[in-house]
Amino acid sequence: MAVTRTFSIIKPDATRRNLTGAVTKMLEEAGLRVVASKRIRMTREQAEGFYAVHKERPFFGELVEFMTSEPVVVQVLEGEDAVARNRAVMGATNPAEAAPGTIRREYALSIGENTVHGSDSDENAAIEIAFFFKPEEIVG
């Protein structure tokens, strides 16, 4: 398997509860390495642009409000098959359906406040990484 990169967001529900370190520890224990990280306050324009794929969905406005409500931590993660590895440690979107020991089972409050975002493919990882990071900010 190849070492690849993926994108992760530690969402407002987690930063508000001071879980950044705990979530990052779980990512690292799953074999992912943080090669870029920054805590930001996502602007409305960033949130609308990042989640544009959901623009026509009924939850879009609520999602944008949530993602701009508190700081988030955006990260580039690197490891063997990073997208799949990250998605496995995140767990199912619904924390009630997430496997024990996953981030969402341990920390998510609800389907909407589900602690983390992770890229769903290598192609989307590249797009999402470029949305928040310049190449020189990734120091793997």
Side-chain angles (χ1 to χ4, degrees):
M1 253 184 252
V3 172
T4 59
R5 289 183 174 162
T6 192
F7 177 74
S8 173
I9 301 175
I10 301 175
K11 293 182 177 182
D13 60 295
T15 63
R16 179 179 67 243
R17 293 179 292 141
N18 203 30
L19 295 173
T20 302
V23 170
T24 300
K25 181 178 184 211
M26 290 180 77
L27 295 168
E28 291 176 336
E29 287 176 345
L32 295 163
R33 189 164 68 106
V34 178
V35 295
S37 180
K38 56 187 171 183
R39 185 180 183 97
I40 64 169
R41 185 71 178 243
M42 200 179 291
T43 66
R44 174 169 290 285
E45 293 75 26
Q46 284 175 315
E48 288 174 349
F50 187 77
Y51 289 106
V53 65
H54 299 301
K55 191 168 182 84
E56 302 305 319
R57 311 273 306 260
F59 60 82
F60 180 74
E62 185 178 323
L63 176 61
V64 169
E65 289 301 317
F66 171 60
M67 292 304 291
T68 59
S69 68
E70 302 272 346
V72 299
V73 176
V74 292
Q75 298 179 318
V76 180
L77 307 174
E78 185 176 83
E80 294 282 332
D81 198 13
V83 170
R85 190 174 293 247
N86 185 42
R87 293 189 70 76
V89 74
M90 286 190 324
T93 302
N94 182 345
E97 297 172 1
T102 61
I103 293 168
R104 289 178 172 151
R105 180 63 170 256
E106 299 299 318
Y107 298 119
L109 299 173
S110 66
I111 293 174
E113 292 183 311
N114 63 12
T115 306
V116 287
H117 162 87
S119 301
D120 62 3
S121 67
D122 289 334
E123 296 77 22
N124 282 337
I127 292 165
E128 293 176 349
I129 289 167
F131 192 91
F132 286 102
F133 291 94
K134 298 174 187 159
E136 62 270 17
E137 293 177 304
I138 304 170
V139 293

